[in-house]
Amino acid sequence: MLVNKLFAVFVFVGVPFVLIGAFLNWPKMIMFFLCCVGIIGLSGYIGRATESLAIVSGPRVGGLLNATFGNAVELIISIFTLKAGMVGIVLASLTGSVLGNLLLVLGLSFFAGGIKFKRQKFSMHSARYNSGLLIFAVIVAFVIPEVFSMTMNPEKTLNLSIGIAIILIALYLAGLFFKLVTHRGVFSSTDEPETEPEVPEWTKGKSILILLLATVVVAFVSEQLVHTFEMLGAKFGWTELFIGVIIVAIVGNAAEHVSAITMAVKNKMEVSVEIAVGSTLQVAMFVAPVLVLVSLFMPQTMALVFTWPELVAMVTAALLVINVSSDGESNWFEGLLLFAAYIIMGIGFYLL
Amino acid sequence: MLVNKLFAVFVFVGVPFVLIGAFLNWPKMIMFFLCCVGIIGLSGYIGRATESLAIVSGPRVGGLLNATFGNAVELIISIFTLKAGMVGIVLASLTGSVLGNLLLVLGLSFFAGGIKFKRQKFSMHSARYNSGLLIFAVIVAFVIPEVFSMTMNPEKTLNLSIGIAIILIALYLAGLFFKLVTHRGVFSSTDEPETEPEVPEWTKGKSILILLLATVVVAFVSEQLVHTFEMLGAKFGWTELFIGVIIVAIVGNAAEHVSAITMAVKNKMEVSVEIAVGSTLQVAMFVAPVLVLVSLFMPQTMALVFTWPELVAMVTAALLVINVSSDGESNWFEGLLLFAAYIIMGIGFYLL
Amino acid sequence: MLVNKLFAVFVFVGVPFVLIGAFLNWPKMIMFFLCCVGIIGLSGYIGRATESLAIVSGPRVGGLLNATFGNAVELIISIFTLKAGMVGIVLASLTGSVLGNLLLVLGLSFFAGGIKFKRQKFSMHSARYNSGLLIFAVIVAFVIPEVFSMTMNPEKTLNLSIGIAIILIALYLAGLFFKLVTHRGVFSSTDEPETEPEVPEWTKGKSILILLLATVVVAFVSEQLVHTFEMLGAKFGWTELFIGVIIVAIVGNAAEHVSAITMAVKNKMEVSVEIAVGSTLQVAMFVAPVLVLVSLFMPQTMALVFTWPELVAMVTAALLVINVSSDGESNWFEGLLLFAAYIIMGIGFYLL
């Protein structure tokens, strides 16, 4: 596939040059560009390795693997950003990941698929499960600490965040148990008669090797990337918010963008929605709370308190997506709607 | 029809006296009353001319005509208010138009129709399309600049508003393209077997003539109306907000109120919903952004930033209507619910 | 039934000791505990008496009885708290009642029922009616005075509250008329073939006697309970908010909790939802506005203005429940979701 070749070029050009540049102290501008290229390429490999491993492991363990490694890149970048004390960028990139997946990825998928097909369907059961979790994560678990923290001291705010983080992770695991064990089979669209058995791209051993290797390299490149952020702010006048919400979010989720849109054009809207919304839920219910807990061992702790623009953008995005996807159908105009909402928010964060 | 006769009386009494009063400098109180009467009558004519023209032009051009001239009166009043520098009243009357259409018109339609029929149905496809756009316009496009502007300077706020205005207009046009071209036929209720071909009330030439004439006269009367606003504030202690939200909104939309309720009693709930919600979307996605752009050539620019009470009233109204109409059915109690919400907001704006 | 025996023990242990303790001035800590036990027991009796009376009175008067006495205990406690001038605790306990019913009672019902049955169904018509009212009461009628009062003086805020209170009560009665008279029969699930005719537990006379007696005793015990609140604050460092939201709410609604969960395990999810959501609507549309009006004759008036954390907790809870219940189906995971939201809010109110 063309995309896979592109990812290969990205890795074999990006990574070596990042290494060389790190030793020779190349200008930050060039390093930023090289790191982005490298990470996009590497996340392509991580995605394919996870998928192959998921197929050979059967649906349950596979679902678990996808749910854990799906946002590995994002998690790694964030941990290094946290280590550098840039809590604001971490929260912004979580926001960006939520907005990017909900509005950009899903929007472009609906649009690209809708150009080719008049209506595309996906499971209503899945849509409902997702929308319940979206409201729980974004509207309850993110809004409550924001509002309550207005009349709390920082220590109490952190304690509330820790409590919420533990509950979010517990529910995320409970949700996997629900989806993969007690209510398996409920979540498939009735329209698809039967899908041919999938063949893994790589063997089990090769997949694990690539997964481990790519993860280690991503970690290294991420650390280099983080060091370029200050320059971006100084040079372009970009705020922490814009860097996090737009730049980090797009780079960290590039591989998902590609596969979601590819699936939509093949009329596998089920899979597209699963990638976009599933990835959002992973960020909100797994990556974000893990980062809150990880931050306890870092120089600066991170409470689950976003800025108001970040929070309001996520809440309105969630409401829009829930409304648009609740009927289990999509068309090009709904895609355009989501995309337009992303552009509005992008302008907002740029000007902020 | 009785209503049409009433409109005729309104025009032939109201307009001449406004003319005379303007020359003789009659008391503002009388002028306010005469202007209201004149505008209500004229909007009746504009509505009928647009409808006749829409029938002879076929559904596509007809839909476009309705979408453009449907809120012509409102647009004209607002431009004159903007010219007089009363930005607050313009924003308030946009709010009032949204609330009036969503809660008052739709509420009375549901109630009046529901008294006669136990349950009334309308197309779910249409309801979904409308609710997606309502969330996009009111909850995304209006809320984002409000929240973001809290930490922005006025210049950036205006830039953000311009960006959003352009996106709203573009999406409004894309929505028409979706509804009238790519997905035509999807938006009709399956229950109605076939509707008899409509006969236009007036010929094409007569319609265009009346449309042009009435529009010019509305412009003149609107300018007189705007000059009475200051008096209203001074005499009754009414705030800008109350004048805009309740008075201007009711006068500017009187003709729509009448036809929506008439249709509901005839069990054509499809048409009622289209008038009420369609008109709301027109105000939010076409009139409001056009006014933002027009204001750039006016003494005072207008950012898309409402007061908090205005914004919250619109957002909660939108959520209520989306919830109540999502099942494609209505009854008298749902109508009462919407009407009661309007009363609550009316009391609020009166006391503010 | 075991539960009924427990209620009997609670009454015959709790009430006499409260009496003795009140005369002997026992420590507040013990009195608090005894009052709680007594009230929980008594509300069990009130619930059974109301139910028996409802059966013998036929569905219409029965529905009315349930709607009036369903939250009698809560209303009585609140009036005594109001008399003691603790407006903050009254508002907090209203909040707690809404959250407790929507998240705790419904959550545990869904969870307990879902453990036994894979999917449980309830009427979609009923779910829609409830969600419309939830949005009207919690999102329109509670949010509007909150936001508008920010720029209003206290007198106007009170006037707005009175207006809203009257509208809420009127709509509550209109809703009963809708449900019990004009649209009776619409609200039954199509799945249940026919229910056996219910046999009242007690005769009409006995029911009325017990209802009156229990109500008088509850009033007495409630007054004692209110006197222990200050001690709770001083001793445990609990805030007014936590006492109201968690303690008063759980004690005042204990009987409902028991019956809702019992019904869920018997797969009568219809009844569980009716108890939980119906009780919420009663609190929001009847108890709360009645208390606003009653407060006009009290030393301190009560406007319908919650604290921001209270309001936001109720709004997000309403959105979550509406989303989760809109499909007329429940499972254990949805129950867990609601319960987890309650825990998050509980932690928040505890830390506040």
Side-chain angles (χ1 to χ4, degrees):
Chain A
M1 228 175 85
L2 187 78
V3 171
N4 288 344
K5 277 185 191 151
L6 201 69
F7 283 146
V9 172
F10 276 21
V11 169
F12 293 109
V13 168
V15 175
F17 278 111
V18 169
L19 246 161
I20 298 168
F23 278 100
L24 299 182
N25 256 320
W26 283 3
K28 297 278 181 198
M29 193 59 223
I30 295 171
M31 286 303 285
F32 170 72
F33 177 75
L34 289 173
C35 290
C36 289
V37 167
I39 289 177
I40 293 173
L42 286 162
S43 44
Y45 278 88
I46 292 181
R48 282 156 70 196
T50 310
E51 217 163 291
S52 296
L53 217 53
I55 294 170
V56 294
S57 320
R60 291 191 192 180
V61 180
L64 209 66
L65 274 170
N66 263 318
T68 322
F69 281 92
N71 280 299
V73 175
E74 171 114 50
L75 190 61
I76 293 168
I77 301 181
S78 294
I79 289 176
F80 279 101
T81 318
L82 216 53
K83 211 181 126 198
M86 303 182 207
V87 170
I89 292 191
V90 174
L91 288 169
S93 76
L94 291 171
T95 306
S97 221
V98 167
L99 298 180
N101 278 306
L102 282 185
L103 300 179
L104 188 60
V105 178
L106 201 60
L108 291 180
S109 298
F110 280 7
F111 187 78
I115 292 292
K116 224 172 143 188
F117 304 95
K118 191 165 182 180
R119 282 192 216 177
Q120 295 184 294
K121 299 204 173 197
F122 44 92
S123 154
M124 301 248 311
H125 272 285
S126 192
R128 269 182 217 138
Y129 170 83
N130 285 335
S131 70
L133 282 183
L134 267 182
I135 291 199
F136 178 78
V138 175
I139 299 186
V140 175
F142 286 0
V143 171
I144 292 292
E146 186 93 9
V147 175
F148 281 56
S149 72
M150 294 191 307
T151 47
M152 269 183 186
N153 60 39
E155 198 202 319
K156 285 188 173 178
T157 303
L158 186 64
N159 284 339
L160 178 57
S161 298
I162 295 170
I164 293 177
I166 294 169
I167 292 172
L168 277 171
I169 295 172
L171 256 164
Y172 183 64
L173 298 178
L176 290 178
F177 185 69
F178 174 76
K179 226 174 156 174
L180 302 174
V181 183
T182 71
H183 285 62
R184 245 193 85 204
V186 174
F187 288 94
S188 49
S189 169
T190 47
D191 283 26
E192 294 171 39
E194 61 209 57
T195 47
E196 66 279 24
E198 290 179 285
V199 180
E201 187 186 356
W202 296 325
T203 61
K204 200 171 174 179
K206 195 177 171 188
S207 300
I208 293 176
L209 193 75
I210 289 178
L211 199 60
L212 288 178
L213 219 79
T215 308
V216 171
V217 181
V218 158
F220 169 75
V221 180
S222 296
E223 189 160 21
Q224 299 302 317
L225 178 69
V226 170
H227 292 319
T228 70
F229 287 162
E230 269 173 50
M231 172 277 309
L232 287 177
K235 193 142 194 174
F236 297 99
W238 292 353
T239 57
E240 270 198 351
L241 230 54
F242 186 70
I243 297 173
V245 171
I246 308 296
I247 305 302
V248 178
I250 290 182
V251 173
N253 293 298
E256 282 150 339
H257 291 222
V258 172
S259 47
I261 295 166
T262 311
M263 287 300 170
V265 176
K266 287 183 191 162
N267 206 13
K268 295 192 172 177
M269 198 41 91
E270 195 80 23
V271 185
S272 288
V273 173
E274 198 44 46
I275 293 173
V277 185
S279 187
T280 308
L281 292 175
Q282 223 170 299
V283 169
M285 302 186 68
F286 185 73
V287 176
V290 162
L291 288 171
V292 169
L293 298 181
V294 164
S295 84
L296 300 176
F297 308 98
M298 292 285 177
Q300 208 185 324
T301 57
M302 183 180 91
L304 206 55
V305 177
F306 296 87
T307 64
W308 279 102
E310 289 171 339
L311 184 71
V312 169
M314 284 191 283
V315 168
T316 54
L319 288 176
L320 185 61
V321 167
I322 288 170
N323 188 277
V324 159
S325 66
S326 66
D327 58 352
E329 279 184 26
S330 71
N331 54 54
W332 68 264
F333 185 64
E334 290 185 344
L336 198 63
L337 217 58
L338 299 182
F339 180 68
Y342 185 75
I343 299 296
I344 287 179
M345 292 173 188
I347 298 175
F349 282 112
Y350 179 77
L351 289 173
L352 215 62
Chain B
M1 228 176 84
L2 187 78
V3 171
N4 287 344
K5 278 184 191 152
L6 199 70
F7 283 146
V9 173
F10 275 21
V11 170
F12 293 109
V13 169
V15 176
F17 278 111
V18 168
L19 247 163
I20 299 168
F23 279 99
L24 299 182
N25 255 320
W26 283 2
K28 298 279 180 195
M29 193 58 224
I30 296 172
M31 288 301 286
F32 170 71
F33 177 75
L34 291 172
C35 288
C36 288
V37 167
I39 289 177
I40 293 173
L42 287 162
S43 44
Y45 278 89
I46 291 181
R48 282 155 70 196
T50 310
E51 216 163 292
S52 297
L53 218 51
I55 294 170
V56 294
S57 319
R60 290 190 192 181
V61 180
L64 209 65
L65 273 170
N66 263 318
T68 321
F69 281 93
N71 280 299
V73 175
E74 171 113 50
L75 190 62
I76 293 168
I77 301 181
S78 293
I79 288 176
F80 279 102
T81 319
L82 216 53
K83 212 181 125 197
M86 303 182 207
V87 170
I89 292 191
V90 174
L91 288 169
S93 76
L94 291 171
T95 306
S97 221
V98 168
L99 298 180
N101 278 307
L102 282 186
L103 300 179
L104 189 60
V105 178
L106 201 60
L108 292 180
S109 299
F110 280 6
F111 186 78
I115 292 291
K116 224 170 143 188
F117 304 93
K118 191 165 182 179
R119 282 193 217 177
Q120 296 184 295
K121 298 202 173 200
F122 44 92
S123 154
M124 301 250 309
H125 272 286
S126 192
R128 269 180 218 140
Y129 170 83
N130 284 335
S131 70
L133 282 183
L134 267 182
I135 290 199
F136 178 79
V138 176
I139 298 187
V140 176
F142 287 180
V143 171
I144 292 292
E146 185 92 10
V147 174
F148 280 57
S149 73
M150 294 192 307
T151 47
M152 268 181 186
N153 62 38
E155 198 202 319
K156 286 188 173 178
T157 302
L158 187 64
N159 284 339
L160 177 57
S161 298
I162 295 170
I164 293 177
I166 294 169
I167 292 172
L168 277 171
I169 295 172
L171 255 165
Y172 184 64
L173 298 178
L176 290 178
F177 185 69
F178 175 75
K179 225 175 157 174
L180 302 174
V181 184
T182 72
H183 284 62
R184 245 193 84 203
V186 174
F187 287 95
S188 50
S189 170
T190 46
D191 283 25
E192 295 171 39
E194 60 210 55
T195 46
E196 65 278 25
E198 291 178 284
V199 180
E201 187 184 357
W202 297 324
T203 62
K204 198 171 175 178
K206 195 178 172 190
S207 301
I208 292 175
L209 193 75
I210 290 178
L211 200 59
L212 287 178
L213 219 80
T215 308
V216 171
V217 182
V218 158
F220 169 73
V221 181
S222 295
E223 189 160 24
Q224 299 302 317
L225 177 69
V226 170
H227 291 320
T228 69
F229 288 161
E230 267 173 49
M231 173 276 309
L232 287 177
K235 192 142 194 172
F236 296 99
W238 292 354
T239 57
E240 271 199 351
L241 230 54
F242 185 70
I243 297 173
V245 171
I246 307 296
I247 305 302
V248 177
I250 291 182
V251 173
N253 293 298
E256 281 150 340
H257 292 221
V258 172
S259 47
I261 296 167
T262 312
M263 287 300 169
V265 175
K266 288 183 190 161
N267 205 15
K268 294 192 173 176
M269 197 42 88
E270 196 78 26
V271 185
S272 289
V273 172
E274 199 44 45
I275 292 172
V277 184
S279 188
T280 308
L281 291 174
Q282 224 169 296
V283 169
M285 302 186 69
F286 186 73
V287 176
V290 162
L291 288 171
V292 168
L293 298 181
V294 164
S295 83
L296 299 176
F297 309 97
M298 291 283 178
Q300 208 184 323
T301 56
M302 183 178 92
L304 206 55
V305 177
F306 296 87
T307 64
W308 279 103
E310 289 170 340
L311 183 71
V312 169
M314 284 191 284
V315 168
T316 55
L319 288 177
L320 185 61
V321 166
I322 288 170
N323 188 276
V324 159
S325 67
S326 66
D327 57 351
E329 279 184 27
S330 71
N331 54 55
W332 68 263
F333 185 64
E334 291 186 343
L336 198 63
L337 216 58
L338 298 181
F339 180 69
Y342 185 75
I343 299 295
I344 287 179
M345 292 172 189
I347 299 175
F349 282 112
Y350 179 78
L351 288 173
L352 214 61
Chain C
M1 229 176 82
L2 187 77
V3 171
N4 288 344
K5 280 187 190 150
L6 201 70
F7 283 147
V9 172
F10 275 20
V11 170
F12 294 109
V13 168
V15 176
F17 277 112
V18 168
L19 247 163
I20 299 169
F23 278 99
L24 299 182
N25 255 320
W26 282 3
K28 297 280 181 196
M29 193 60 222
I30 295 172
M31 287 301 287
F32 170 71
F33 177 73
L34 290 172
C35 289
C36 289
V37 166
I39 289 176
I40 293 174
L42 286 162
S43 43
Y45 278 89
I46 292 181
R48 282 156 70 195
T50 310
E51 216 163 292
S52 296
L53 218 53
I55 294 171
V56 294
S57 321
R60 289 190 195 183
V61 181
L64 209 66
L65 273 169
N66 264 318
T68 322
F69 282 93
N71 280 299
V73 175
E74 171 113 50
L75 190 62
I76 293 168
I77 301 181
S78 293
I79 288 177
F80 280 101
T81 318
L82 217 52
K83 212 180 125 199
M86 302 182 207
V87 170
I89 292 191
V90 174
L91 288 170
S93 76
L94 291 172
T95 307
S97 222
V98 168
L99 297 181
N101 278 307
L102 282 186
L103 299 179
L104 189 60
V105 178
L106 201 60
L108 292 181
S109 299
F110 280 6
F111 187 77
I115 292 290
K116 224 170 143 190
F117 304 94
K118 191 163 182 180
R119 282 193 215 176
Q120 295 185 293
K121 298 203 174 199
F122 45 91
S123 153
M124 300 250 311
H125 273 285
S126 193
R128 269 182 217 138
Y129 170 84
N130 285 334
S131 71
L133 283 183
L134 266 182
I135 291 199
F136 178 79
V138 175
I139 298 186
V140 176
F142 286 0
V143 171
I144 292 292
E146 185 92 10
V147 175
F148 280 56
S149 73
M150 293 192 307
T151 46
M152 269 182 186
N153 60 39
E155 198 202 319
K156 286 188 173 178
T157 303
L158 187 64
N159 285 339
L160 177 57
S161 298
I162 295 170
I164 293 177
I166 293 169
I167 292 172
L168 277 171
I169 295 172
L171 256 164
Y172 184 65
L173 298 177
L176 291 177
F177 185 70
F178 175 75
K179 227 174 154 175
L180 302 174
V181 183
T182 71
H183 283 63
R184 245 193 83 205
V186 173
F187 287 95
S188 49
S189 169
T190 46
D191 284 24
E192 295 170 39
E194 60 208 55
T195 47
E196 65 279 26
E198 290 178 285
V199 180
E201 188 185 354
W202 296 325
T203 62
K204 199 171 176 177
K206 195 177 171 190
S207 300
I208 293 176
L209 193 74
I210 289 178
L211 200 59
L212 288 178
L213 218 79
T215 307
V216 172
V217 181
V218 157
F220 170 74
V221 180
S222 295
E223 190 161 22
Q224 299 302 318
L225 178 68
V226 170
H227 292 320
T228 69
F229 287 162
E230 270 173 49
M231 173 277 308
L232 286 177
K235 193 140 193 174
F236 296 99
W238 290 355
T239 57
E240 270 198 350
L241 230 55
F242 185 69
I243 296 174
V245 171
I246 307 296
I247 304 302
V248 178
I250 290 182
V251 173
N253 292 298
E256 281 150 340
H257 291 221
V258 172
S259 47
I261 296 167
T262 311
M263 287 301 170
V265 176
K266 287 185 191 161
N267 206 14
K268 294 192 173 177
M269 197 43 89
E270 195 80 24
V271 186
S272 289
V273 172
E274 199 44 47
I275 293 173
V277 184
S279 187
T280 307
L281 292 175
Q282 224 170 297
V283 168
M285 302 186 69
F286 186 73
V287 176
V290 163
L291 288 172
V292 168
L293 298 180
V294 165
S295 83
L296 299 177
F297 308 97
M298 291 284 177
Q300 208 184 324
T301 56
M302 183 178 90
L304 206 55
V305 177
F306 295 88
T307 65
W308 279 102
E310 289 170 340
L311 184 71
V312 169
M314 284 191 283
V315 167
T316 55
L319 288 177
L320 185 61
V321 166
I322 288 170
N323 188 275
V324 158
S325 66
S326 67
D327 57 352
E329 279 185 27
S330 71
N331 55 54
W332 68 263
F333 186 64
E334 291 185 345
L336 197 64
L337 217 58
L338 299 181
F339 181 68
Y342 185 75
I343 299 295
I344 286 179
M345 292 172 188
I347 299 175
F349 283 112
Y350 179 79
L351 288 173
L352 215 62

